[in-house]
Amino acid sequence: METQAGGSRRWIVLVTLTFVYVLNFLDRQLLGILAKPIQDSLHLSDRQLGLIGGLYFAMFYCFIAIPVGWLADRTSRVTILSLACAIWSGATIACGLATSYTQLVIARMTVGFGEAGGVPPSYAIITDTFRPGERGTAFGIFNLGPPIGAALGIAFGASIAALLDWRIAFIAIGAVGVVTAILVPLIVREPRRGATDVNPVATPTAAKAPFWGTCAMFFTHPVLMLAALGSGATQFVTYGLGQFAVLFLIREKGMTLPEIAIWYALVVGIGMSAAMLISGRIIDRLSRRGRTVYALGPAISLAIAMPFYVAFVWAPAWPLALLLLTVVNCFNYFYLSASVALVQEEVRPDQRVLSGALLLLVMNFIGLGLGPTWVGAASDWFKAHGWEHGLQLALYTLSPFYLIAIALFLTLARVLRAEQAAKVPA
C-alpha cells in the first residue's frame, strides 16, 4: 500500500501544512504590523505592546505546547492541528472586537493557546512523510510559513488598516483561519509514526514514550539543548525586531502605512523566503558529509547578519534601511530549518511531537517571550530618561544577542563533531 511518503500526495500535505503555518504566523505578527493604529486607538505604551506581543502571548504559546505535544504523540496529530487552528483563528477575531487593553490581552493569550498546537504536530507529520535527506528541504518549504505570513500580514493588514480599520484586518484573517481548520482533516491523512525512517531500530514500540522521560531526555541532551538555546538567542533578536519593526519604520524612518504595505512586505517576503529555501537545500546537501552543518550554517549566517542589522537601525532614511533589512532577514533565519531538522532526527519517532514542542518552549520563551518585552520596556525607559529616539536605542541593545547565539551554535558544532568522531571506528 502506498504510504503518504510516496507520490504527489506528500507535496499536497506539505503545502497544506505550510498554509496553516502561514495563518499561524500571520495571526501572531498582526499585532506588531498594526501596532501604530492599535496604540493610537487603545492608548497603549511601547511597554504594553511589548508585553502583549511578548511575555503574555508566550506564557500560553510556549507552555501549553508541552501537554499538547504529549497528547499529539498519543492521538491524531491532524486532529490536534485542526482544533488548534480553529482556536487561534477564533481568538484572532476576538482581538478585532477588543475595546480595552485587558480584552486585547485575554484575546492574545487565547491566540497563543491555540497556536501552541500548530507547529509541533506539523513537524512530526512532515518527518513521517519525508525521508532523511529530504527533510531539510521539506522543512525549508514549511518554514516559508513565517515569511509568507508576515508579508501577507503586512500587505493586507496595513492596507486594510489604512483604508478601513485595524479591527477589520483581525476579523477577516481570523475568518479565513476558521474555514481552513475545517478543511485540514479533509486533506491531510494521519501518517504512520516512523513510516519514512531508514533505521528500523528507530521505529516506535507498542509502548508510548513517557512524558517525563522525554522531558528529562531533552533537557539533559547537549545537542538538543544547545540547538534550542542557540535558536532562542537568535529569536530574541528576530522577535524583538519583528514586533516593533513597523512602528520603528513609521516613527523613526518616516514611512506611512501604504508604503509599509508595499515595500516592507516585499522586504520581509523576499529576505525571509530566500533564507528558508536556501538554508533547507544547504542542510540537505552538506548534512550528508557531516552533521556540523546544522550548527555551522546558523553561526556563519548570523555573523554575516549582525553588521547589516546595526546598519539598518542606524540608516538615516527608510529606502536604505529596507535594503539593509533585506540582507538581515535573509541571514537571520538560517537557524530555523537546521534546528528543527536536527531535533527531529535526534529523537525517536514517538518522541517527535513532544520534542518539537520542547524546542519551541525553550526558543520561543527566550525569543518570543522576552525579546519584544525587552525592546518595549527599553524603549519606554530611554524615553523616560530624556532620549529622543528611545525605540532606536532599544533596537541597538539587541546586537549582543547575535554574539551569544553565534557562541552557542559554535559550541553545538564542537559537540556534533565530537559525536561524529566517536562513531568512526578506530
Side-chain angles (χ1 to χ4, degrees):
M1 185 175 68
E2 183 184 11
T3 68
Q4 216 171 5
S8 61
R9 181 164 183 80
R10 62 180 181 164
W11 297 106
I12 296 174
V13 169
L14 182 59
V15 168
T16 303
L17 296 178
T18 303
F19 181 72
V20 175
Y21 198 11
V22 167
L23 294 176
N24 180 299
F25 206 82
L26 198 164
D27 290 358
R28 190 185 315 171
Q29 295 296 304
L30 205 53
L31 181 72
I33 294 165
L34 301 176
K36 186 64 169 63
I38 293 173
Q39 195 172 49
D40 293 342
S41 176
L42 300 181
H43 309 292
L44 307 182
S45 67
D46 287 355
R47 177 178 173 276
Q48 288 175 312
L49 278 175
L51 284 170
I52 298 175
L55 187 61
Y56 292 159
F57 181 91
M59 284 171 59
F60 276 76
Y61 179 74
C62 296
F63 290 100
I64 296 299
I66 305 307
V68 168
W70 175 82
L71 181 64
D73 271 330
R74 285 159 170 73
T75 59
S76 170
R77 295 163 289 186
V78 175
T79 300
I80 296 292
L81 178 63
S82 176
L83 290 173
C85 184
I87 292 171
W88 85 60
S89 299
T92 299
I93 294 174
C95 289
L97 301 175
T99 58
S100 69
Y101 179 66
T102 301
Q103 291 177 4
L104 187 59
V105 167
I106 294 172
R108 288 299 293 175
M109 284 183 165
T110 308
V111 171
F113 178 87
E115 290 190 4
V119 178
S122 295
Y123 285 164
I125 293 170
I126 292 171
T127 304
D128 286 338
T129 302
F130 289 84
R131 295 181 294 272
E134 300 174 332
R135 291 169 181 167
T137 299
F139 281 122
I141 294 173
F142 176 70
N143 286 326
L144 287 175
I148 294 173
L152 289 178
I154 295 162
F156 290 106
S159 297
I160 293 172
L163 295 174
L164 299 171
D165 185 76
W166 63 268
R167 299 179 184 278
I168 303 298
F170 278 98
I171 294 170
I173 292 170
V176 173
V178 171
V179 174
T180 301
I182 298 171
L183 295 176
V184 165
L186 302 178
I187 299 173
V188 181
R189 298 173 186 168
E190 179 72 16
R192 178 174 61 83
R193 287 169 169 81
T196 60
D197 288 331
V198 175
N199 182 5
V201 177
T203 56
T205 61
K208 300 296 183 182
F211 176 81
W212 293 113
T214 301
C215 291
M217 176 277 299
F218 188 95
F219 287 111
T220 57
H221 198 304
V223 169
L224 301 181
M225 280 305 298
L226 284 168
L229 292 172
S231 299
T234 306
Q235 285 196 347
F236 195 96
V237 178
T238 59
Y239 276 115
L241 170 62
Q243 179 66 30
F244 286 94
V246 172
L247 190 61
F248 175 68
L249 290 169
I250 292 173
R251 184 187 295 174
E252 301 286 349
K253 308 300 182 185
M255 292 190 76
T256 63
L257 274 177
E259 289 171 338
I260 292 286
I262 298 172
W263 300 110
Y264 181 55
L266 287 174
V267 165
V268 170
I270 293 171
M272 290 176 65
S273 296
M276 302 306 179
L277 290 174
I278 294 171
S279 63
R281 295 302 298 271
I282 290 175
I283 289 165
D284 277 344
R285 183 178 295 271
L286 297 184
S287 62
R288 297 165 190 165
R289 304 178 187 175
R291 298 202 305 160
T292 55
V293 67
Y294 290 117
L296 290 178
I300 294 170
S301 68
L302 291 173
I304 295 171
M306 183 177 174
F308 286 94
Y309 171 77
V310 175
F312 155 73
V313 179
W314 162 85
W318 68 261
L320 176 59
L322 290 185
L323 180 62
L324 293 165
L325 185 59
T326 304
V327 180
V328 173
N329 281 338
C330 183
F331 288 99
N332 264 2
Y333 290 91
F334 265 60
Y335 78 95
L336 190 55
S337 296
S339 294
V340 171
L342 176 61
V343 169
Q344 291 293 297
E345 292 187 4
E346 192 74 12
V347 301
R348 299 200 313 263
D350 58 333
Q351 296 175 318
R352 280 174 177 157
V353 181
L354 182 53
S355 295
L358 291 168
L359 171 66
L360 291 177
L361 166 65
V362 176
M363 70 181 189
N364 283 330
F365 185 77
I366 296 171
L368 176 58
L370 303 181
T373 305
W374 168 268
V375 173
S379 176
D380 280 356
W381 187 90
F382 282 122
K383 285 188 291 185
H385 286 76
W387 297 87
E388 184 180 356
H389 304 286
L391 183 54
Q392 183 179 38
L393 292 172
L395 291 177
Y396 275 127
T397 66
L398 293 177
S399 303
F401 287 89
Y402 274 106
L403 300 177
I404 295 171
I406 291 169
L408 288 166
F409 280 119
L410 289 177
T411 304
L412 174 60
R414 287 197 294 271
V415 172
L416 290 173
R417 191 178 292 113
E419 281 190 356
Q420 186 173 324
K423 293 178 180 178
V424 176

